[in-house]
Amino acid sequence: MVKRYEDWKGDLHDFLKIGDLVDDEITDHFLNVLPPATWTGSLIQMGEPYSHVGGKATFATLKKTPEGWAYAGHCYRGENTSTGK
């Protein structure tokens, strides 16, 4: 099931769970809410840090999968593995 922007209510980080596929509108939100921290063909990270873990900033992250863009959690810049925080 793909999570849709139109169904999003409340906090993004409560709405999305790691592994959730997202629609184009959520992907666009990640790109357009602020200039992205990372934007490649396989990784998009929101431009503002979500938190800091071990003294390093973490960012809400989408990663490209064979099925489409999927939420990867809060990851260090340039990475797609969640820090769990």
Side-chain angles (χ1 to χ4, degrees):
M1 181 174 110
V2 174
K3 293 279 183 99
R4 301 178 322 158
Y5 184 86
E6 66 187 51
D7 297 328
W8 171 21
K9 307 270 188 288
D11 189 276
L12 175 70
H13 308 285
D14 291 333
F15 178 65
L16 295 176
K17 305 299 178 218
I18 293 173
D20 283 347
L21 295 174
V22 300
D23 70 3
D24 290 340
E25 288 176 283
I26 291 177
T27 303
D28 288 344
H29 177 77
F30 269 67
L31 288 170
N32 297 321
V33 68
L34 290 168
T38 303
W39 180 15
T40 69
S42 61
L43 187 70
I44 301 171
Q45 292 180 304
M46 277 192 178
E48 183 172 306
Y50 175 77
S51 67
H52 288 79
V53 176
K56 292 173 55 179
T58 65
F59 300 86
T61 302
L62 297 177
K63 66 180 177 180
K64 189 72 165 182
T65 71
E67 295 82 26
W69 288 100
Y71 182 65
H74 304 118
C75 309
Y76 294 124
R77 183 179 289 233
E79 298 182 11
N80 66 14
T81 303
S82 175
T83 62
K85 306 285 182 192

